[in-house]
């Protein structure tokens, strides 16, 4: 972890603006508080990604919260590209004070450098692919850039490091672990799928009971009974005619993670 932190510190030294990508469903669980420390005084922009899977009202509340805290924030859907142009504009605005400072020193035509950081699976590579896109203009290599990394000019006077900075997720408490597991931010082999499905069902029963009921067309009772009902209505039966509740658990996780069941924000701001 210390090595990862050191690497991130080195990378951040190279850039003028940092874009932190968060998953709009879990803006709290997908951040790493250490980043604030590492970034220091550098301008930082938050890109709330996967808004296609998060509750619209909650996304707006999160954007307002970040902006009130003085952090530029924008919602993006990198799967379709929505919001990517606004993100570039925001980065250019954030870079203006840096450009002004250089101008005072007589430095002109120096490109602003930006990098994307975030925990795994938030969509960093998808965003980079979109930004680099068709008009891939490779800027000259610069000192400090590790082999395999390149600066790509993505807009006038704006160079992007084509490799994202990867932050480790923080597993400080069970709530964060739950949020990371059910959204797919962490791989399935690091958590107990059955248990995650049970926690998810409990969360849905508490917060979105009607939606759950309507989606599976089952009567929502208790955990066991509801998984059995889902297995029954979906025809998940094992040999011997026993209901396959394990499959129902897997399907619940998948339907949630892929937003088939609807748009949900786990890290909610009270309205
Ligand atoms: P990373 O670099 O931060 O690790 O994330 P990456 O871009 O690999 O994206 C992780 C997954 O999230 C990918 O899906 C990607 O397609 C998906 N994704 C990225 N942005 C969005 C978004 O705005 N909305 C939605 N719905 N999905 C998004 P995958 O299943 O891992 O791969 P694939 O489906 O692209 O094959």
């Amino acid at each position: 972890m210390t090595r990862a932190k050191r690497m991130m510190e080195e990378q951040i030294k190279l850039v003028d603006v940092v874009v932190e990508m968060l998953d709009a469903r879990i803006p709290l669980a997908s951040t790493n508080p250490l980043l604030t420390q590492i970034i220091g005084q550098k301008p930082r922009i938050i890109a709330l990604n996967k808004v296609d899977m998060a509750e619209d009202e909650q996304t707006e509340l999160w954007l307002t919260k970040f902006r009130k805290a003085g952090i530029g924030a924008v919602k993006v859907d990198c799967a379709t590209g929505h919001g990517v142009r606004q993100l570039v504009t925001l980065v250019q605005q954030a870079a203006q004070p840096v450009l002004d400072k250089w101008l005072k020193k007589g430095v002109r035509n120096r490109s602003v450098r930006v990098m994307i950081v975030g925990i795994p699976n938030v969509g960093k590579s998808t965003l980079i692919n979109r930004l680099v896109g068709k008009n891939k203009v490779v800027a000259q290599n610069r000192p400090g850039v590790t082999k395999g990394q390149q600066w790509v000019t993505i807009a006038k006077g704006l160079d992007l490091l084509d490799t994202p900075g990867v932050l480790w997720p923080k597993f400080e408490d069970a709530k964060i672990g739950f949020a990371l597991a059910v959204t797919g931010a962490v791989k399935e082999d690091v958590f107990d799928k059955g248990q995650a499905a049970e926690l998810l069902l409990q969360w849905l029963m508490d917060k979105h009971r009607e939606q759950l009921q309507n989606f599976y067309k089952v009567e929502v009772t208790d955990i066991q009974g509801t998984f059995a009902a889902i297995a029954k209505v979906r025809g998940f039966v094992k040999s011997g005619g026993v209901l396959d509740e394990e499959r129902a658990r897997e399907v619940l996780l998948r339907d949630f993670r892929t937003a088939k069941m609807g748009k949900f924000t786990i890290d909610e701001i009270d309205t």
Side-chain angles (χ1 to χ4, degrees):
M1 212 179 261
T2 321
R3 196 167 159 257
K5 184 176 173 226
R6 221 178 301 127
M7 225 174 99
M8 179 70 69
E9 280 169 343
E10 287 308 311
Q11 282 182 312
I12 285 177
K13 271 187 204 154
L14 303 174
V15 301
D16 306 299
V17 180
V18 176
V19 172
E20 183 187 12
M21 182 165 253
L22 301 177
D23 185 324
R25 296 169 297 173
I26 49 167
L28 278 181
S30 61
T31 191
N32 184 324
L34 262 184
L35 183 68
T36 309
Q37 224 185 71
I38 302 173
I39 290 183
Q41 297 303 309
K42 287 230 162 114
R44 165 190 180 196
I45 304 285
I46 287 181
L48 268 189
N49 190 35
K50 306 199 183 186
V51 289
D52 56 311
M53 301 206 274
E55 286 169 45
D56 296 329
E57 195 191 352
Q58 282 293 324
T59 299
E60 294 307 322
L61 289 171
W62 274 108
L63 289 173
T64 307
K65 191 180 165 97
F66 290 129
R67 287 168 188 159
K68 275 192 180 155
I71 305 169
V74 66
K75 57 178 173 184
V76 284
D77 169 357
C78 290
T80 61
H82 279 137
V84 172
R85 201 176 302 162
Q86 286 93 316
L87 173 63
V88 172
T89 306
L90 209 58
V91 171
Q92 285 171 320
Q93 283 167 2
Q96 198 52 51
V98 181
L99 289 170
D100 293 343
K101 211 168 79 188
W102 291 336
L103 206 59
K104 269 194 196 152
K105 291 182 188 165
V107 182
R108 281 171 199 277
N109 300 327
R110 147 100 143 79
S111 288
V112 167
R113 298 167 197 166
V114 60
M115 77 180 288
I116 318 286
V117 306
I119 67 164
N121 259 319
V122 284
K124 300 179 296 300
S125 311
T126 313
L127 173 64
I128 289 173
N129 287 341
R130 284 209 173 267
L131 288 171
V132 171
K134 298 169 233 126
N135 4 304
K136 183 167 177 165
V137 187
V138 181
Q140 70 196 63
N141 273 336
R142 297 206 178 98
V145 176
T146 319
K147 204 172 163 215
Q149 296 181 324
Q150 277 173 325
W151 293 102
V152 180
T153 305
I154 54 161
K156 195 169 179 289
L158 191 60
D159 289 356
L160 171 77
L161 192 61
D162 73 349
T163 320
V166 183
L167 289 165
W168 52 101
K170 57 174 188 338
F171 292 94
E172 267 164 18
D173 57 35
K175 225 173 128 191
I176 292 177
F178 163 72
L180 294 170
V182 299
T183 52
V186 287
K187 287 217 176 81
E188 296 199 339
D189 48 5
V190 301
F191 62 88
D192 182 316
K193 259 204 291 185
Q195 200 192 358
E198 283 184 16
L199 289 170
L200 174 60
L201 183 59
Q202 188 61 59
W203 183 81
L204 288 164
M205 280 161 63
D206 293 344
K207 302 238 175 203
H208 305 279
R209 204 179 183 93
E210 218 179 295
Q211 214 166 330
L212 176 71
Q213 208 147 288
N214 293 341
F215 181 73
Y216 288 109
K217 305 204 170 19
V218 293
E219 196 193 337
V220 173
T221 52
D222 55 5
I223 300 270
Q224 190 91 29
T226 307
F227 277 125
I230 294 172
K232 193 167 175 204
V233 81
R234 292 285 172 103
F236 300 155
V237 187
K238 290 195 280 199
S239 59
V242 185
L243 287 174
D244 191 349
E245 289 173 29
E246 202 184 316
R247 192 153 164 221
R249 282 170 163 75
E250 275 173 20
V251 162
L252 180 87
L253 274 178
R254 202 180 54 223
D255 288 342
F256 183 81
R257 194 172 296 162
T258 54
K260 229 173 149 185
M261 205 189 294
K263 294 162 80 140
F264 297 100
T265 300
I266 293 182
D267 291 336
E268 281 180 311
I269 294 184
D270 288 337
T271 46

